[in-house]
């Protein structure tokens, strides 16, 4: 892949268009939103009640109240997804605002948890297509670029993909948080791949994502 200045513009474009937010390390749930999420009894909530709770957190974040989804430590987010039912995660995917918020949050965290040492001499572009979306042909679209030891994601990087991955948002949330058997998702057709297969299969190995707790 050429390394001229034109091919590097995507990185400056993303850095300028997406404000950086400091990565928060695990502090034992000291932030109020972490403590709240850890104590949330998801089994007692219907999908509608679950989305109402998340909608309230999202609304508070939008108003600058300091209580927002981005304040959730990744470990807590992984645990919430593990405890959530398939119906609850599907409710997130069907909720326009929460769907967008969760996709943006997961892709933002990819850069936080990317391990450059695992991606030495690896350059590729992954295009993501999420079913039941509002975009072109009924898909919501993102791109992830891993290049020169850097990982960035955005809805518009204007890059030609090496691999295109198609799946539902709820399956992506489970897969991205380590709460799904990725190999099984490929075999059963829940994840469809067009283009080079290797980047799709190896993708998760380039990140250090907290493991779901046992039980």
């Amino acid at each position: 892949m050429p390394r001229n200045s034109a091919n590097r513009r995507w990185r400056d474009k993303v850095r300028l268009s997406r404000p950086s937010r400091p990565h928060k390390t695990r502090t034992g749930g000291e932030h109020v939103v972490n403590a709240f999420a850890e104590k949330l009894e998801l089994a007692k909530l219907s999908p509608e009640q679950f989305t109402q709770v998340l909608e309230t957190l999202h609304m508070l974040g939008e108003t600058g109240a300091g209580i927002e989804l981005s304040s959730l430590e990744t470990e807590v987010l992984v645990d919430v997804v593990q405890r959530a039912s398939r119906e609850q995660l599907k409710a997130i995917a069907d909720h326009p605002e929460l769907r967008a918020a969760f996709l943006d949050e997961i892709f933002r965290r990819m850069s936080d948890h990317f391990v450059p040492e695992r991606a030495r001499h690896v350059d590729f572009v992954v295009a993501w297509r999420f079913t039941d979306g509002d975009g072109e042909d009924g898909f919501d679209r993102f791109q992830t670029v891993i290049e020169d030891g850097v990982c960035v994601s955005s809805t518009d990087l204007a890059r030609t993909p090496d691999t295109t991955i198609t799946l539902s948002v709820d399956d992506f949330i489970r897969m991205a948080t380590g709460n799904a058997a990725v190999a099984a998702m490929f075999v059963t057709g829940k994840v469809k791949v067009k283009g080079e297969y290797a980047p799709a299969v190896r993708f998760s190995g380039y990140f250090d994502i907290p493991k779901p707790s046992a039980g």
Side-chain angles (χ1 to χ4, degrees):
M1 184 178 295
R3 291 292 183 272
N4 57 43
S5 59
N7 284 335
R8 294 176 183 273
R9 290 175 186 167
W10 62 272
R11 188 179 303 170
D12 292 333
K13 176 180 179 181
V14 172
R15 285 174 175 166
L16 289 173
S17 63
R18 303 186 64 193
S20 61
R21 283 180 274 183
H23 175 54
K24 305 176 182 67
T25 57
R26 177 71 162 148
T27 57
E30 291 177 3
H31 193 288
V32 61
V33 72
N34 289 295
F36 173 76
E38 289 172 337
K39 294 178 181 178
L40 197 60
E41 297 186 52
L42 299 186
K44 295 183 178 181
L45 299 178
S46 67
E48 293 76 17
Q49 291 170 326
F50 180 57
T51 56
Q52 286 173 1
V53 170
L54 294 176
E55 194 174 23
T56 300
L57 290 176
H58 181 59
M59 179 187 68
L60 289 171
E62 291 291 297
T63 61
I67 301 175
E68 53 194 6
L69 292 175
S70 62
S71 295
L72 272 178
E73 305 295 351
T74 300
E75 292 88 338
V76 179
L77 177 61
V78 167
D79 180 64
V80 168
V81 174
Q82 181 189 43
R83 293 188 289 118
S85 68
R86 290 181 180 272
E87 292 74 19
Q88 288 170 329
L89 295 179
K90 183 65 166 58
I92 293 175
D94 292 340
H95 189 292
E97 290 185 18
L98 293 178
R99 174 188 178 99
F102 267 76
L103 284 175
D104 183 70
E105 192 61 30
I106 288 174
F107 279 110
R108 181 182 71 83
R109 291 174 192 243
M110 279 187 183
S111 296
D112 291 343
H113 294 279
F114 177 64
V115 183
E117 292 77 13
R118 298 182 186 177
R120 290 174 180 169
H121 313 300
V122 172
D123 292 344
F124 62 80
V125 180
V126 175
W128 303 88
R129 302 196 312 170
F130 299 105
T131 56
D132 301 320
D134 294 327
E136 183 182 350
D137 300 328
F139 296 102
D140 290 329
R141 300 172 184 271
F142 279 76
Q143 280 193 346
T144 298
V145 177
I146 293 180
E147 186 175 279
D148 296 337
V150 176
C151 172
V152 266
S153 299
S154 179
T155 55
D156 181 19
L157 293 176
R159 296 292 296 267
T160 300
D162 300 296
T163 299
T164 299
I165 301 176
T166 303
L167 72 168
S168 68
V169 168
D170 43 311
D171 279 334
F172 175 70
I173 292 173
R174 295 172 58 241
M175 182 177 73
T177 57
N179 282 291
V182 177
M185 296 178 74
F186 280 96
V187 171
T188 59
K190 288 186 174 181
V191 175
K192 296 180 174 61
V193 178
K194 180 180 179 180
E196 296 181 24
Y197 211 79
V201 173
R202 297 171 182 168
F203 188 81
S204 61
Y206 302 127
F207 303 86
D208 184 15
I209 303 297
K211 303 297 184 184
S213 58

